[in-house]
Every structure is written in structure tokens, then in C-alpha cells.
């Protein structure tokens, strides 16, 4: 997708590298790029992005049968580590994520520097938010700890204390850095309120919805799709088939 434009008829023109399309309604789920598309259309101009990267560690064998979460710190709700049996690694256990600021919008795609500067949107207001974050002892310690976790050799020694909350007998020699796993979470900064938004951010207007940082994460994707579908049906003045939706849920659960 290279451009989204609202035409005078109210229909959206979507330009892509594979041609142009028209749509009456659009939902943009493009990570950090959701905000950039929104801003290109005049929305969300009081938002900036703090790109948070996350990495994982693997064990050499399967230690857990199911996902185990640790308690969240309300100041850092996206940061509680968890452990999962990973289907891509013969169900060996994956611990993480770590969380640290990274000058990237996508972890494994090449970066367009212009987009990064646009997304960071650094000005007096954003700098104030960064300074406030650093003033908070919990957040300052967390940033430092997570930075150390990315340092080769030292990272595992620091991370192991978090992993031991889930499996107390785990040793440093049991875990290895999960190369190529992890991603970016674009946390939104509200420049008017001078705060880092910890939950999801959504901009919706005239049949277009921009989703950023679903919270708590991919887990909420279907709930978000459902509420977006309802909102768009409302905009198009058409009825959402609730009975069919319920039937499909029942079929899936059976
Ligand atoms: C390290 C880490 C650990 C996480 N752990 C969990 C967890 O345990 N549980 C959980 O529920 N959630 C977790 N999450 C959050 C979860 O990954 C995200 O909430 C989820 O991936 C968001 O889905 P999305 O489709 O909105 O965005 P994304 O998954 O970011 O997908 C957006 C897609 O849009 C594409 N895109 C961007 N720009 C364009 C463009 N111009 N044209 C076409 N395509 C474009 C991108 O390449 C990308 O493929 C984690 C996130 C991270 C970073």
C-alpha cells in the first residue's frame, strides 16, 4: 500500500504497488504505518510513535505444555514476560519478550529513514514525555535492564531472573537467544496529554479505521475485527448478521 486518499465522492482510493483499488470502507492494520497513513490523511497529528522492540530466548527442550504468563506491572502492561511451547521449534519453550526502544518501524523489513523521523515526530512535547518516562524509577530500571538483556554474553545472565519466575530451576546454560524471532510494538505517545498510551490506539472516521498497537496484543485481534465490523456496518447503514456470527462461533467451539 502506497497511498490512501478519500475522494470527493466519499469513496477511498487505495494505491498499491499492484494497482489502484476503490473501497467504501477501509481498516488499516499496518503496525507503525497505520499512524503514518492516518497522518497522511490529516488524522492523529497529535500522536507520535515510540518503537519498542522485543526479543525472545529458547530452551533446548520442551519444558512447558502451555503458555504461562507472569503478572503485569500496571506501568508496563506490554512488558510482562511469558513462556510458550513454540510450534516452530519442536515445542521447545520460548521465553520473552524483552522490550527496548529501537530505531526501527518493522523488525525484519528495511527501514525508510524518512518514515522513522516522521513516526518519531520528535519535538518539545515528545521530548517532555521521554523525560517523564526517565524520571520514573520503575521505568528507568526497566529500560536499563532490558538494554542489558540485548548485550551479547551478558543478556542471558540478566534475563534468567525473569525466566526463573516461571521455572525457578532454569539455568543460564539452558537458554539461547532466539535469533530472528521477535518484532516491534509501536507504542503511541499522545503529545497533547504528554503521555505514553499503554493500551491500543484507534482512529475511526467516515468509514476508515486505523488500528495501532492492539492491546493486549494478537490475542485481541478477533475482538477488534468484530468491533470494527460493527462500526463499519453502522457507517454503511447495513445490518450485521449477529445470528450467523453466533452460529459460526458455536460451530468453531464444537
Ligand atoms: C516481541 C513481541 C511479543 C509479543 N507477544 C505477544 C503475545 O504473547 N500475545 C499477544 O497477543 N500479542 C503479542 N504481541 C503483540 C502482537 O504481535 C501484535 O499485537 C500483533 O502482531 C498486531 O497485529 P497487527 O496485524 O495489528 O500488526 P502487525 O502484526 O504489526 O502487522 C502489520 C503488517 O502490516 C504490514 N505493513 C506495514 N505497512 C504496510 C504497507 N504500506 N503496505 C502493506 N503492508 C504493510 C507489515 O509489514 C505487517 O506485516 C507481541 C509483540 C511483540 C513485538
Amino acid at each position: 500500500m502506497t497511498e490512501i486518499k478519500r475522494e470527493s465522492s466519499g469513496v477511498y482510493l487505495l494505491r498499491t504497488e499492484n494497482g489502484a483499488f476503490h473501497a467504501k470502507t477501509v481498516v488499516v492494520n499496518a503496525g507503525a504505518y497505520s499512524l503514518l497513513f492516518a497522518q497522511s490523511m490529516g488524522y492523529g497529528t497529535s500522536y507520535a510513535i515510540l518503537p519498542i522492540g522485543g526479543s525472545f530466548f529458547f530452551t533446548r527442550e520442551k519444558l512447558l505444555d502451555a503458555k504461562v504468563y507472569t503478572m503485569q506491572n500496571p506501568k508496563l502492561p506490554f512488558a510482562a514476560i511469558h513462556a510458550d511451547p513454540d510450534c516452530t521449534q519442536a515445542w521447545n519453550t520460548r521465553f520473552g519478550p524483552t522490550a527496548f526502544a529501537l530505531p526501527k518501524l518493522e523488525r525484519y523489513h528495511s527501514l525508510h529513514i524518512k518514515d522513522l523521523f516522521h513516526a518519531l515526530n520528535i519535538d518539545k512535547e515528545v521530548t517532555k514525555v521521554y523525560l517523564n518516562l526517565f524520571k520514573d524509577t520503575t521505568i528507568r530500571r526497566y529500560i536499563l535492564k532490558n538494554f542489558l538483556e540485548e548485550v551479547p554474553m551478558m543478556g542471558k545472565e540478566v534475563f534468567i531472573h525473569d525466566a526463573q519466575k516461571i521455572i525457578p530451576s532454569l539455568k543460564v546454560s539452558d537458554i539461547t537467544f532466539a535469533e530472528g524471532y521477535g518484532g516491534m510494538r509501536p507504542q503511541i505517545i499522545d503529545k497533547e496529554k504528554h503521555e505514553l498510551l499503554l493500551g491500543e490506539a484507534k482512529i475511526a472516521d467516515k468509514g476508515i479505521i486505523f488500528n495501532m498497537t492492539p492491546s493486549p496484543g494478537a490475542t485481541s485481534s478477533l475482538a477488534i475485527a468484530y468491533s470494527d465490523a460493527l462500526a463499519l456496518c453502522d457507517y454503511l447503514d447495513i445490518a450485521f448478521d449477529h445470528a450467523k456470527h453466533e452460529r459460526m462461533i458455536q460451530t468453531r467451539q464444537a
Side-chain angles (χ1 to χ4, degrees):
M1 183 75 58
T2 50
E3 187 185 12
I4 307 174
K5 227 164 103 176
R6 191 166 200 264
E7 297 190 325
S8 51
S9 60
V11 168
Y12 291 96
L13 169 68
L14 311 167
R15 285 192 208 281
T16 78
E17 286 173 355
N18 301 312
F21 301 85
H22 281 96
K24 286 185 196 160
T25 57
V26 182
V27 181
V28 186
N29 295 306
Y33 283 91
S34 291
L35 180 61
L36 294 187
F37 279 119
Q39 289 181 337
S40 73
M41 297 177 70
Y43 298 112
T45 46
S46 63
Y47 288 155
I49 283 177
L50 170 61
I52 301 288
S55 298
F56 292 93
F57 290 87
F58 275 121
T59 58
R60 290 170 223 279
E61 53 186 316
K62 179 182 170 186
L63 300 178
L64 294 173
D65 286 327
K67 188 186 254 301
V68 181
Y69 265 97
T70 51
M71 290 294 288
Q72 292 194 342
N73 179 332
K75 282 189 181 171
L76 301 154
F78 53 85
I81 79 147
H82 44 88
D84 303 82
D86 193 307
C87 63
T88 66
Q89 290 286 321
W91 302 108
N92 291 349
T93 309
R94 177 166 48 83
F95 286 92
T98 59
F100 51 96
L102 255 190
K104 275 179 157 264
L105 295 182
E106 295 192 287
R107 193 76 184 270
Y108 303 109
H109 285 168
S110 53
L111 174 73
H112 299 282
I113 291 287
K114 199 171 98 226
D115 290 345
L116 177 69
F117 278 106
H118 195 143
L120 293 177
N121 204 346
I122 292 181
D123 59 9
K124 210 172 74 199
E125 310 306 325
V126 173
T127 311
K128 217 179 264 179
V129 178
Y130 285 141
L131 290 176
N132 285 344
L133 286 176
F134 270 100
K135 272 188 210 151
D136 187 303
T137 322
T138 313
I139 294 179
R140 206 171 49 236
R141 276 203 197 126
Y142 181 79
I143 292 171
L144 179 65
K145 181 169 80 68
N146 277 272
F147 170 74
L148 294 176
E149 280 168 1
E150 291 297 312
V151 177
M153 316 296 283
M154 182 192 277
K156 290 202 299 180
E157 306 275 347
V158 181
F159 182 79
I160 195 72
H161 299 290
D162 278 338
Q164 283 168 341
K165 287 183 197 161
I166 297 174
I167 302 182
S169 59
L170 205 68
K171 297 189 295 297
V172 173
S173 56
D174 294 330
I175 59 171
T176 52
F177 187 77
E179 203 64 59
Y181 284 73
M184 294 302 298
R185 192 188 273 269
Q187 291 300 139
I188 302 291
I189 289 174
D190 186 327
K191 300 204 296 178
E192 276 167 10
K193 294 190 183 140
H194 294 138
E195 64 184 25
L196 179 68
L197 302 185
L198 295 171
E200 75 182 59
K202 184 190 280 289
I203 297 169
D205 188 39
K206 296 180 188 152
I208 190 161
I209 298 175
F210 303 90
N211 287 316
M212 291 149 269
T213 323
S215 183
T219 326
S220 45
S221 57
L222 289 180
I224 292 171
Y226 179 56
S227 72
D228 287 350
L230 293 182
L232 294 181
C233 282
D234 200 35
Y235 171 77
L236 293 169
D237 202 18
I238 55 174
F240 183 86
D241 193 339
H242 288 277
K244 185 175 178 189
H245 179 66
E246 281 305 314
R247 271 199 315 278
M248 288 177 78
I249 293 175
Q250 303 296 339
T251 318
R252 282 285 158 93
Q253 283 172 347

